[in-house]
Amino acid sequence: MKDTVLPTIASIVAASDERINIASKAEGTPNLADASTSDDEDDHFQDAVDYAGMPRILSYRGTYLFIPDQHQLSDAEPSSPASSTRQSDSSPGFGKSRKGSLLKHGPSWRKSSADQKKRILQLRSDITDDALLEEIAEVETALELFLNSQFKDAEELLLPKYGQSMYFTEGVALLRTLRALMTFDPDDMSTALDSLNCASEIASSLRKRDNNGLFGMISGAAGIVTGNKDPNYLNGMSRVQKHAELVYAETSCIQSLLTLVANTNLVNFVKEGMQMRSSFTVVKACFRFLEKIYDEEGVDGYVSHSIDEHFISGIVSCAGLFGLILSFLPSKIIKVFELIGFQGDRDTALDRLSMSAGWPFTPSIFVTGNPKAFARFKRCFPSIPQSMQTSRSGGLRKPLSELMMFSYHIVLASMNPLPDCNLPLASLRLEQCLERRDQSFLYRALRARMLETEGKADLAEIEYNKVISLQKDYRQLYHACLWDVGLCQMAQRKWISAFGGYSVLFEESKWSRAIYRYMQAVTLYAENASDSRVPEMMKEVPGLLKKIAGISVPMEKFVSRKSRKFAKQGGSLLFPAYEILYFFHGLVMMGKDALEVIVKEADKVITELDEKKKRTENLPYETFFDDLCLALFLKAVAEREIGYPTVRTLDEISNQVLQGQKFKSALQGSASSADLSQDKVNSLKNSISGFKRLIAEAKSIVLDHWMLLYGRYELGSLYLRVGEYELARREFEAARNKGAVDGEEGNGVKKASLENMLQVRCHNALLKLKALEENSKLSLSDEL
């Protein structure tokens, strides 16, 4: 499921004008796609979660207003019927369900501007630079509680000042955003959006007001058009005003992303896209301001301009995250984003995130091996020296930047061939974090993920079970771990254990009941193909599909097609558990023994199918070549993993070049290196032969056309590992071009499942190919 996130976000651009209005979602309905919408103006009013002694927030067609509590309304103002039936809940625990309610249209609910202005004036008078630093110190305490798995304690620490403090309100909003993304519950989405808006409103009220009149308006309009903002506008700002710029940009951007996930139509897409661009413009201007201060005055300039490590870590991490996300998109899309002001250079992004996280960073070969690029590349300015910092933490957002770096080097690297992955560094830093926070749910989950990547599914399962025992408050985090436990169990061929976990997920989790049901069915089928429960479960899958951000989830569409194929073939599928495990990166978790079982089982099926074909002039059955190609595909992937495991591709890039040269020589018949066994070389030869036969037979596939595209991609990955860079490029280009390249006989496929996911993989594979080629040239020049 994780690997479908980037393609799903990328495909929002092509989404039709479908509306998913979370405000009018019927209570208890888990499916966002089924949420009803209404054109009635009354239904566009939504009452947000309220707390004792604090104002609620009213949402009217995307415009949010503060409104007083019921007891604060004057007798002359008639109350709304809906408001009179609200139940107060002043202390919700983290992880508890929140059910919102709808307000009916009434004139009294628009009389809130005076109260709002009064609160804004109060906020401005209460907050000072020193008070802000005290506030940040308290929020850091809450962050430490969160990182140590004390989620409820963290929210309880933040809640008393919710709506009254900028950073406390942002903290609560981020916790609720996490919950909303984990549950996809409409009420959680609504609560998170309201909290984000509340934080954004507070930050906006504390920003420096533009007193330049007409010139300021023209300058602002020009900034919207060009995507640039003059960094000098931060001159003269107080510490509070600078932090307000940062918090406003952060909350506005997250709010836009969450809105797109919850309610996407063409108008919303343009509106929220412009809002994200506006947020990025603020971040970019702040970054250029910090850069200018450092270039002109050095680190001493930070103090004279009331700049602290919290502001620096926030701006730098935001700038890095924007660039890193964009860098995963295909180059043609990146160029479009760059035209409107975004930047998608991965080296620059990682350099900024590394600075914020306190990690060392070495630019990739794209920078160091190219004099022009090296001349253009500008390292991120340093943070404030420890002796001049206002705290010992290194910045409020430093731990969050570290989590981003771990996600890149551990999680994303296991899904995509990244050219600049540094797993040894990530492993070292992770252990250091665990020394300080040994009860951290997040860090232990990352360690378990690393064990998965290393092909140690048994140890990963043990670690995930430890992770589950660390927290009791947040059921959705338990579900996330249970998903990975199931994959680990499938990688060990513990089918019944995996079935039990997916049964819990199907009953309790709202992420994707279609996928959970399918996983139940295929694990039962792998254990006993004649189990009577399997057909009933397969029959349910198509009816469980849902839409996120107005579009279908690609992986759900895939399992729906497979369940229909199961029925079409009279209740049978070939290797459905191995097939779905491949898409969730489960085959690379398998140890050598489990991979050899796949090779043996697939080889047996291939032999049987070949014998059937010889005995008859016609095809034995319609999807004969679908089954043959699947067996060839799984066998080839398994043999490649036996010969050259994926975890070896996460070494330093220079080590991969040397290893590839050794394998290349061995495969070409030259004397093999002492550390290369003949068994490994033979496995790779067999894998290449299997992929080539798959490509030749794929023209006869009836339903599962994805195998041609993914087969060519996986063959390219094999060539990439063994130093055959030109052959690798040919396969990657074919994979992203419908399965064919110029000069080959036959045409590619018209349409295949999960193409967007493959496009992202190919884009990153070609980047890694380029990095390997540059390193190879560099090593040859050193030898000469």
Side-chain angles (χ1 to χ4, degrees), residues 54-127:
M54 291 187 292
R56 293 188 295 272
I57 303 167
L58 182 67
S59 172
Y60 175 67
R61 295 191 185 275
T63 302
Y64 293 80
L65 299 171
F66 285 101
I67 56 176
D69 276 333
Q70 180 68 30
H71 69 273
Q72 295 174 326
L73 294 173
S74 65
D75 293 336
E77 295 177 341
S79 62
S80 164
S83 64
S84 63
T85 61
R86 283 184 52 82
Q87 295 180 351
S88 175
D89 186 358
S90 59
S91 58
F94 187 59
K96 294 181 180 179
S97 178
R98 302 287 296 133
K99 299 296 181 184
S101 61
L102 295 178
L103 284 177
K104 295 298 180 183
H105 175 57
S108 63
W109 301 106
R110 300 190 185 190
K111 298 181 180 180
S112 58
S113 58
D115 182 76
Q116 186 179 7
K117 290 178 181 178
K118 183 178 178 181
R119 287 188 54 79
I120 290 173
L121 290 172
Q122 186 67 39
L123 281 169
R124 285 178 177 165
S125 63
D126 288 347
I127 191 70

Side-chain angles (χ1 to χ4, degrees), residues 479-529:
H479 292 156
C481 285
L482 196 60
W483 169 263
D484 277 297
V485 168
L487 294 179
C488 291
Q489 290 168 339
M490 289 180 72
Q492 300 171 74
R493 305 180 75 253
K494 296 161 63 173
W495 309 118
I496 295 302
S497 298
F499 170 78
Y502 294 127
S503 298
V504 173
L505 290 171
F506 179 76
E507 294 298 329
E508 298 183 5
S509 177
K510 297 177 182 178
W511 257 84
S512 176
R513 300 183 80 236
I515 293 177
Y516 298 146
R517 200 52 148 179
Y518 184 77
M519 298 296 271
Q520 283 181 282
V522 298
T523 47
L524 274 183
Y525 189 80
E527 179 69 21
N528 180 9

Side-chain angles (χ1 to χ4, degrees), residues 631-655:
L632 288 167
F633 178 84
L634 293 172
K635 181 186 176 186
V637 171
E639 288 186 308
R640 187 200 63 197
E641 289 301 312
I642 292 171
Y644 198 137
T646 295
V647 67
R648 297 291 298 276
T649 67
L650 304 181
D651 289 344
E652 289 282 346
I653 201 82
S654 55
N655 292 339

Side-chain angles (χ1 to χ4, degrees), residues 237 312 334 346 395 424 462 524 562 646 718 732:
M237 281 191 186
I312 293 176
I334 292 176
R346 191 172 297 180
I462 294 171
L524 274 183
K562 299 303 293 187
T646 295
L718 193 160
F732 291 142

Side-chain angles (χ1 to χ4, degrees), residues 212-436:
N212 294 327
L214 180 61
F215 177 78
M217 292 175 61
I218 296 173
S219 177
I224 293 174
V225 174
T226 63
N228 291 311
K229 192 176 180 74
D230 185 0
N232 291 320
Y233 88 100
L234 283 97
N235 283 325
M237 281 191 186
S238 66
R239 190 191 306 274
V240 172
Q241 289 170 335
K242 291 186 182 75
H243 277 270
E245 293 289 319
L246 171 59
V247 173
Y248 174 79
E250 288 177 331
T251 53
S252 295
C253 185
I254 297 170
Q255 188 178 4
S256 294
L257 286 171
L258 204 59
T259 300
L260 286 175
V261 170
N263 186 359
T264 295
N265 54 43
L266 184 58
V267 173
N268 237 15
F269 183 82
V270 173
K271 176 185 173 184
E272 301 305 334
M274 292 299 293
Q275 180 59 54
M276 282 190 281
R277 182 169 179 249
S278 175
S279 300
F280 177 70
T281 301
V282 171
V283 171
K284 187 165 65 170
C286 291
F287 185 89
R288 289 166 59 197
F289 174 75
L290 292 173
E291 198 171 46
K292 178 174 175 285
I293 294 299
Y294 178 75
D295 290 342
E296 295 177 356
E297 305 177 42
V299 293
D300 293 333
Y302 295 148
V303 178
S304 62
H305 288 271
S306 300
I307 297 170
D308 52 67
E309 68 275 16
H310 308 294
F311 180 73
I312 293 176
S313 70
I315 291 298
V316 172
S317 63
C318 284
L321 183 59
F322 268 112
L324 187 62
I325 292 173
L326 285 179
S327 73
F328 274 87
L329 300 176
S331 55
K332 291 181 180 179
I333 298 178
I334 292 176
K335 289 178 181 177
V336 173
F337 277 99
E338 288 177 344
L339 288 174
I340 58 175
F342 289 98
Q343 295 174 328
D345 181 78
R346 191 172 297 180
D347 277 294
T348 301
L350 288 174
D351 178 44
R352 292 171 180 178
L353 283 173
S354 297
M355 195 287 281
S356 180
W359 286 30
F361 176 72
T362 302
S364 72
I365 191 68
F366 303 135
V367 173
T368 58
N370 186 332
K372 291 183 179 179
F374 187 75
R376 290 194 305 268
F377 182 74
K378 187 174 183 180
R379 296 299 298 262
C380 185
F381 47 81
S383 187
I384 298 177
Q386 186 69 46
S387 60
M388 300 168 62
Q389 292 186 7
T390 61
S391 69
R392 296 181 180 180
S393 65
L396 174 61
R397 294 163 183 83
K398 179 181 177 180
L400 303 179
S401 297
E402 278 193 314
L403 288 173
M404 294 176 203
M405 293 297 288
F406 287 134
S407 298
Y408 180 81
H409 291 287
I410 297 175
V411 180
L412 292 177
S414 67
M415 300 176 179
N416 294 278
L418 302 181
D420 38 22
C421 172
N422 194 337
L423 192 62
L425 174 62
S427 178
L428 175 63
R429 290 285 175 163
L430 183 58
E431 292 305 317
Q432 292 173 352
C433 289
L434 282 167
E435 287 176 6
R436 302 193 304 271

